Amino acid sequence: DEDPVFDEPGETSCTNDVEDVMIENTYAMVLEDRAVGRNLWKRCDVSAHFPASIDVPSIIDSLRYTFSLPAAPRYTVDDVPDMDWIKHVQESWTPIITRDSKFVLRFPWHEDNVVMKACQEMEREKMQAAMAAQFDTGVKREGAVVNFYNEDLEQKQEERAYVQIELEGGIAFGTGEHPTTRLCLDWVRETTEELLKSDAECINFVDYGAGSGVLGIAAAAVVRDYNQGKRKQEPTSSLSSIKTVGVEIDADAIRIADDNAE
């Protein structure tokens, strides 16, 4: 069983079991006694993160005393920029496309051509998956695959258009990268469309633990696009409305949800 060597939050952990570990083509031993005092490496580079107010020389003196070193270890100090590192990492993300519900979750730095490319990639993957499934379920005859369809039972689903949502990103849960968010988005679109097809005049949507607010925003976006399409077809027809309420206790999530809603 794995037993973390370091118990403090944020510290790196490894196992107490004896095993070989490959690090940049160099083998190192992880021993049960944590290898304290043993020269198992000819050179060991350690990176540590400290608050800017920490006294680094005192840390170096502590290391020298603890490990009985003949001299203080060499070290360099680099300043870490003060920035929103979560958003900085998220800027490398591509737009998130949900497979079935066809929501496009984009962030402010995504250009339209990047979003279009992501949608095209999703359609390509779906086509490849459909072809693979058709091959697997078909009857193989003399090197060919024959598929049988019952036209009375085979109904082509109405082609859905992509629904775009722009999110600010940040630490709030619900940016679309987690499978549970995608499953909820599938349910949101299916349920909202069913209500719209039943000529519901007003839809009430409540999300407890709203996080980024993505589910309520997604429901509102479905109604928005439905009304736009209906207005083009029937300019004088009545439109549907939706009221979404998000309940959240985390202050950061509330701030991000407010930004996303705007």
Side-chain angles (χ1 to χ4, degrees), residues 52-223:
S53 59
I54 200 72
D55 184 6
V56 176
S58 66
I59 299 295
I60 300 301
D61 289 340
S62 297
L63 287 173
R64 180 181 179 183
Y65 173 79
T66 301
F67 294 101
S68 301
L69 301 176
R74 293 174 297 174
Y75 70 94
T76 59
V77 178
D78 296 325
D79 292 331
V80 178
D82 185 10
M83 65 171 64
D84 187 341
W85 283 99
I86 294 178
K87 183 171 290 187
H88 177 71
V89 171
Q90 290 176 344
E91 287 180 355
S92 64
W93 292 358
T94 58
I96 297 173
I97 315 294
T98 58
R99 184 182 184 87
D100 298 324
S101 53
K102 300 184 76 170
F103 282 108
V104 180
L105 278 60
R106 61 186 298 176
F107 297 93
W109 52 85
H110 287 149
E111 302 290 340
D112 290 340
N113 62 325
V114 175
V115 174
M116 182 178 297
K117 183 178 179 180
C119 293
Q120 292 172 345
E121 180 65 21
M122 173 59 71
E123 291 300 319
R124 185 185 66 82
E125 292 178 1
K126 290 170 64 176
M127 182 179 298
Q128 290 179 342
M131 293 176 63
Q134 187 176 358
F135 181 83
D136 291 338
T137 57
V139 180
K140 283 73 175 180
R141 291 182 178 176
E142 297 181 359
V145 180
V146 181
N147 290 273
F148 299 95
Y149 297 96
N150 187 332
E151 294 182 358
D152 295 332
L153 299 177
E154 190 71 20
Q155 296 180 352
K156 185 177 181 180
Q157 293 184 351
E158 182 181 352
E159 184 66 20
R160 280 175 167 171
Y162 282 101
V163 176
Q164 295 195 43
I165 304 171
E166 183 171 306
L167 302 175
E168 291 295 326
I171 62 175
F173 184 80
T175 52
E177 77 282 1
H178 199 278
T180 56
T181 304
R182 301 190 185 204
L183 286 173
C184 289
L185 286 171
D186 291 344
W187 179 88
V188 165
R189 180 145 194 184
E190 192 71 30
T191 304
T192 305
E193 286 182 340
E194 288 179 0
L195 292 172
L196 292 172
K197 291 178 181 178
S198 66
D199 296 327
E201 295 183 358
C202 181
I203 300 173
N204 293 311
F205 184 95
V206 180
D207 182 10
Y208 286 94
S212 67
V214 63
L215 299 183
I217 295 171
V222 172
V223 175

Side-chain angles (χ1 to χ4, degrees), residues 26-40:
T26 303
Y27 280 100
M29 294 291 294
V30 180
L31 301 181
E32 188 174 355
D33 61 2
R34 305 181 187 181
V36 174
R38 296 196 175 193
N39 296 324
L40 298 180

